[in-house]
């Protein structure tokens, strides 16, 4: 969507029913949210009418806010935080949930990286090569998995062209740099005609950042927070009047440090519910080690297609398929300590049907077959095949101009088949059924309220079931859900595994036009047999964790309100909160983000956009067993950008972050007590589109 003015305000308004709002031309007396298409929503949904709560980053806004990792790029959207892990890895945390309860997709397809295993494993998405990032919550998430109770992050790119370029060639180039880590980054993308109906796309990106600086911390920089990344892809599409079919090959290579690594616990083992750690003499003899690092290599082939109106009654059929070969080494002192591999195929077909008795909908099937394998010193997960087959449908019925109903269902069957010569392990095979519904009432032309209900089942991952061993990056000795005789730890799950079942309710009140626009949302999730990493014992920063199940509750709120004072000036108030606790009382759940409250001012003058943002992240006092309180902090940011119109078009920006030089500790991070966040920073960038 082409934005008119206030491009920097898009994120502040994206949650207001989803669409992005801008001031109208001078002859208009009303500000109204423009309808935008969200690919992750079914039926090419008009976001003004959908009951889903979502956020959207695209175009210049995505260019200005993109960071080295997906989690950092999305951090700050309503209800969205990040479980940061140095400079090379972070995952989005939505409503207190992260992977595997937050699904990250590449244009609707699975990534097949190892980010769901641990926060120190990078999510293989390059924000600079993304054209749009959609954060979706609500019934439509069942299209992508019943376990995504936090939400779905759908990252769209241009590596497979879906339309012919307007001229012989079109594309972009961008470059950026920052001061906190001396980062330098650049990206490009080119699409050209390769025939009457053929379009060729080539793209690439490169990042290089040193260890980042921290204000107020003992050391000026944090060892192991450096990161390098290389990305490239080539895609070819056949494009016709009624659809397209394309194929792309992508490569990603990363190297990044692992901060907070603690060698003194390498000899730790589990004896029941107690840690036993042998002293590592070589640490004392040879002094401190350099931080280990990850060497990542991912090669992927994507097949995408769409065919509109293939037969009577079917509006469109869409195909997504991929094959990924991923591996990363964790290297210490030039020696590979552990290797993680993930190979897999994912195939998904969905069809959008014409109205049947007033119902419009999307239905489809998805088959996934993946194999994870770890080897070396920290081989915490055995070689395991995971096969999943699913069918799904989301339907919508519009009673009249004011009332609309949406319902979704998903059934999936999963089988985990481990292969470990040292300890024969049982396979795990189970099915899950998820249902959801939502009702939207537009009680006034510019207001609507939606109520959503869902019952979702999530099947456990291989790591949650079979884990056993040391994982030094997160300073843990991990034990899986299986009985103690197969894994380790004390007070395990000898009675057997139960399917994680969540009962979710949400309500959103929105105003979508006028000088004042807002989205106020409340949610409550009650989860039976919730799988979590329970800490059994701790020595200094090293913990013995046992994946366990308990009944828990998540309650929270997200709010954002914008007032357009003049056509050139607006203010926004925003905030979010979430609380996760055990149903029977006691401690909170671990790594729940702290409350956040802030304000933002946006202004526009000719080709200039300006933004000043201030928010408070409060101290986190609701803590889990073995956790400690995380202090709060104030964050002051400012951005100015300028757009040169014409052909080609240029956009330049300058963004200052953490202007107060605060010492920032992120409670959602595994490194909340050992590694602070980056300090005062200045980022500059330029983007050319043609």
């Amino acid at each position: 969507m082409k934005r008119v003015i206030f491009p920097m305000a898009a994120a502040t308004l994206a949650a207001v029913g989803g669409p992005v709002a801008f001031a109208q031309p001078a002859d208009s007396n009303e500000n109204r949210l423009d309808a935008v298409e969200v690919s992750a929503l079914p039926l090419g949904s008009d976001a003004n009418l959908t009951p889903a709560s979502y956020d959207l980053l695209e175009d210049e806004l995505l260019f200005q806010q993109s960071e080295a990792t997906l989690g950092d790029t999305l951090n700050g959207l309503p209800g969205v935080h990040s479980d940061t892990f140095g400079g090379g890895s972070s995952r989005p945390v939505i409503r207190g949930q992260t992977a595997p309860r937050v699904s990250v997709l590449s244009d609707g397809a699975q990534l097949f990286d190892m980010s769901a295993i641990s926060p120190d494993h990078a999510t293989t998405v390059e924000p600079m090569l993304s054209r749009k990032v959609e954060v979706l919550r609500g019934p439509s998430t069942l299209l992508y998995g019943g376990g995504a109770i936090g939400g779905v992050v759908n990252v769209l790119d241009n590596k497979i062209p879906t339309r012919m370029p307007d001229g012989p060639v079109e594309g972009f180039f961008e470059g950026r740099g920052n001061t906190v880590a001396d980062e330098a980054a650049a990206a490009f993308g080119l699409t050209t005609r390769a025939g009457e109906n053929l379009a060729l796309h080539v793209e690439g990106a490169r990042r290089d950042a040193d260890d980042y600086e921290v204000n107020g911390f003992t050391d000026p920089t944090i060892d192991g927070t450096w990161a390098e990344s290389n990305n490239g892809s080539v895609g070819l599409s056949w494009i016709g009047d009624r659809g397209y079919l394309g194929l792309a090959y992508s490569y990603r290579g990363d190297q990044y440090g692992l901060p907070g690594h603690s060698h003194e616990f390498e000899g730790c083992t589990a004896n029941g519910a107690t840690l036993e750690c042998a002293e590592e003499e070589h640490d004392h003899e040879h002094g401190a080690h350099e931080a280990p690092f990850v060497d990542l290599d991912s090669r992927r082939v994507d097949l995408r297609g769409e065919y509109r109106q293939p037969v009577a009654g079917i509006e469109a059929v869409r195909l997504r398929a991929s094959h990924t070969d991923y591996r990363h080494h964790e290297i210490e002192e030039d020696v590979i300590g552990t290797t993680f591999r993930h190979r897999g195929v994912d195939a998904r077909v969905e069809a959008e049907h014409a109205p049947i008795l007033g119902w419009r909908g999307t239905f489809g099937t998805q088959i996934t077959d993946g194999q994870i394998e770890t080897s070396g010193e920290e081989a915490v997960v055995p070689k395991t095949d995971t096969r999943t087959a699913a069918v799904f449908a989301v339907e919508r019925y519009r009673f009249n101009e004011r009332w609309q109903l949406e319902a979704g269902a998903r059934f999936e069957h999963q089988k985990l088949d481990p292969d470990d010569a040292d300890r024969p392990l049982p396979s795990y095979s189970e099915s899950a059924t998820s249902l959801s519904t939502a009702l939207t009432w537009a009680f006034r032309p510019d207001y609507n309220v939606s109520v959503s209900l869902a019952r979702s089942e999530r099947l456990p991952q291989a790591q949650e079931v079979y884990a056993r061993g040391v994982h030094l990056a997160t300073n843990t000795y991990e034990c899986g859900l299986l009985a103690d005789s197969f894994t380790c730890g004390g007070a395990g799950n000898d009675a057997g595994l139960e399917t994680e079942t969540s009962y979710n309710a949400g309500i959103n009140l929105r105003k979508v036009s006028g000088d004042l626009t807002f989205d106020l949302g409340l949610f409550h999730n009650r989860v039976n047999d919730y799988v979590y990493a329970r800490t059994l014992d701790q020595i200094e920063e090293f913990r013995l964790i046992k994946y366990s199940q308990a009944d828990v509750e998540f309650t929270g709120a997200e709010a954002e309100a914008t007032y357009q004072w003049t056509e050139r000036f607006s203010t926004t108030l925003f905030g979010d909160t979430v609380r996760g606790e055990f149903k029977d009382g006691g401690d909170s759940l671990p790594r729940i983000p702290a409350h956040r409250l802030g304000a933002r001012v946006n202004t526009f003058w000719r080709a200039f956009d300006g933004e000043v943002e201030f928010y408070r992240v409060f101290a986190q006092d609701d803590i889990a067993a073995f956790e400690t309180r995380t202090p709060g902090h104030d964050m002051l940011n400012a951005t100015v950008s300028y757009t040169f119109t014409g052909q080609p078009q240029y956009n330049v920006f300058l963004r200052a972050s953490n202007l107060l030089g605060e010492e920032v500790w992120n409670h959602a991070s595994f490194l909340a007590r050992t590694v602070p966040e980056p300090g005062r920073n200045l980022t500059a960038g330029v983007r050319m589109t043609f």
Side-chain angles (χ1 to χ4, degrees), residues 628-640:
T628 58
R629 176 184 182 273
T630 301
H633 62 270
D634 298 318
M635 185 62 63
L636 177 63
N637 305 318
T639 309
V640 62

Side-chain angles (χ1 to χ4, degrees), residues 253-432:
D254 284 19
Q255 288 190 346
Y256 59 89
L258 295 175
H261 206 71
S262 189
H263 298 271
E264 60 185 299
F265 303 112
E266 290 176 347
C268 291
T269 60
N271 182 6
T274 304
L275 277 173
E276 292 185 351
C277 297
E279 185 177 357
E280 293 294 319
E281 297 294 339
H282 63 274
D283 282 343
H284 301 286
E285 294 175 1
H286 301 290
H289 292 254
E290 292 185 1
F293 66 95
V294 165
D295 183 0
L296 182 155
D297 183 285
S298 179
R299 301 166 192 266
R300 179 182 175 101
V301 177
D302 282 279
L303 176 67
R304 301 174 187 168
E306 179 176 342
Y307 189 39
R308 293 181 288 274
Q309 298 180 334
V311 296
I314 301 297
E315 299 292 339
V317 176
R318 302 179 185 92
L319 167 68
R320 297 290 185 270
S322 65
H323 175 273
T324 305
D325 188 353
Y326 168 100
R327 73 103 182 105
H328 81 251
H329 302 306
E330 294 186 359
I331 299 175
E332 184 175 354
E333 297 183 339
D334 298 324
V335 176
I336 297 175
T338 309
T339 297
F340 292 78
R341 296 187 182 275
H342 199 176
R343 304 180 182 92
V345 294
D346 180 35
R348 164 192 189 87
V349 179
E350 63 182 51
E352 178 184 332
H353 67 78
I356 302 174
L357 300 177
W359 288 88
R360 293 187 63 210
T362 298
F363 62 93
T365 184
Q366 183 174 5
I367 297 175
T368 302
D369 188 351
Q371 181 186 89
I372 65 170
E373 182 178 2
T374 61
S375 59
E377 297 175 355
E378 300 177 36
V380 68
V381 186
K383 180 180 178 181
T384 307
D385 289 324
T386 302
R387 300 179 182 89
T388 305
V391 292
F392 54 84
V394 173
E395 298 288 328
R396 176 174 298 161
Y397 186 86
R398 189 170 186 179
F399 297 95
N400 51 45
E401 294 297 321
R402 294 193 173 192
W403 292 91
Q404 182 171 275
L405 177 68
E406 185 174 297
R410 184 181 180 94
F411 174 82
E412 58 189 18
H413 179 80
Q414 174 183 280
K415 182 177 182 181
L416 302 179
D417 190 7
D419 181 9
D420 190 334
D422 297 329
R423 46 174 179 145
L425 296 170
S427 61
Y428 173 81
S429 180
E430 192 56 81
S431 298

Side-chain angles (χ1 to χ4, degrees), residues 124-203:
T124 52
V125 168
E126 175 49 64
M128 288 195 301
L129 295 178
S130 305
R131 62 178 174 87
K132 184 190 296 186
V133 182
E134 304 164 345
V135 182
L136 178 67
R137 314 167 188 89
S140 299
T141 60
L142 292 188
L143 290 173
Y144 307 103
I149 63 174
V152 168
V153 178
N154 192 36
V155 182
L156 304 178
D157 53 55
N158 291 313
K159 61 185 177 185
I160 295 180
T162 60
R163 63 171 184 83
M164 298 297 292
D166 295 330
V169 62
E170 63 183 29
F172 78 95
F173 170 82
E174 71 176 68
R176 64 177 59 232
N178 70 34
T179 59
V180 75
D182 292 331
E183 182 188 65
F188 77 95
L190 297 173
T191 304
T192 184
R193 294 174 179 264
E196 184 176 353
N197 294 98
L198 291 176
L200 176 68
H201 181 80
V202 180
E203 64 183 22

